[in-house]
């Protein structure tokens, strides 16, 4: 994980072979390309305490969904690249 104190809980692969997770303690989503080792972080808008994550492979680009344990909400991350 690129940022300390991430503490990822779940990791989900997408149809492109990239891995998606989110930190329980730092409120960042991470997309990792295991072929290159390149990690992209997405800062979430507020404290979430992420546990379970889900990747929607039916969208283009793939969409990452996570529930916010601290905010009683669902967060959608849609990469622009």
């Amino acid at each position: 994980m690129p940022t300390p104190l991430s503490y990822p809980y779940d990791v989900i692969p997408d149809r492109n072979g990239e891995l998606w997770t989110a930190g329980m303690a730092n409120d960042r989503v991470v997309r990792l390309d295991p072929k290159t080792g390149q990690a992209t972080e997405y800062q979430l808008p507020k404290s979430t305490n992420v546990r379970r994550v889900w990747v929607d492979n039916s969208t283009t680009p793939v969409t990452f969904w996570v529930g916010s344990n601290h905010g009683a909400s669902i967060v959608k991350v849609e990469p622009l690249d």
Side-chain angles (χ1 to χ4, degrees):
M1 300 295 287
T3 301
L5 306 174
S6 295
Y7 308 121
Y9 197 83
D10 250 355
V11 177
I12 304 289
D14 69 17
R15 69 171 181 254
N16 303 314
E18 293 182 315
L19 305 174
W20 291 80
T21 189
M24 290 189 323
N26 70 358
D27 305 313
R28 294 170 192 257
V29 170
V30 177
R31 179 177 54 149
L32 173 69
D33 183 340
K35 296 175 191 165
T36 65
Q38 174 71 34
T40 304
E41 288 188 313
Y42 305 90
Q43 180 70 50
L44 296 175
K46 61 183 183 174
S47 177
T48 55
N49 191 346
V50 174
R51 292 291 197 268
R52 300 291 180 207
V53 300
W54 187 69
V55 172
D56 184 354
N57 283 305
S58 70
T59 61
T60 302
V62 298
T63 304
F64 177 86
W65 292 90
V66 63
S68 171
N69 288 342
H70 287 172
S73 59
I74 299 172
V75 180
K76 175 184 177 183
V77 176
E78 188 176 55
L80 299 176
D81 58 302

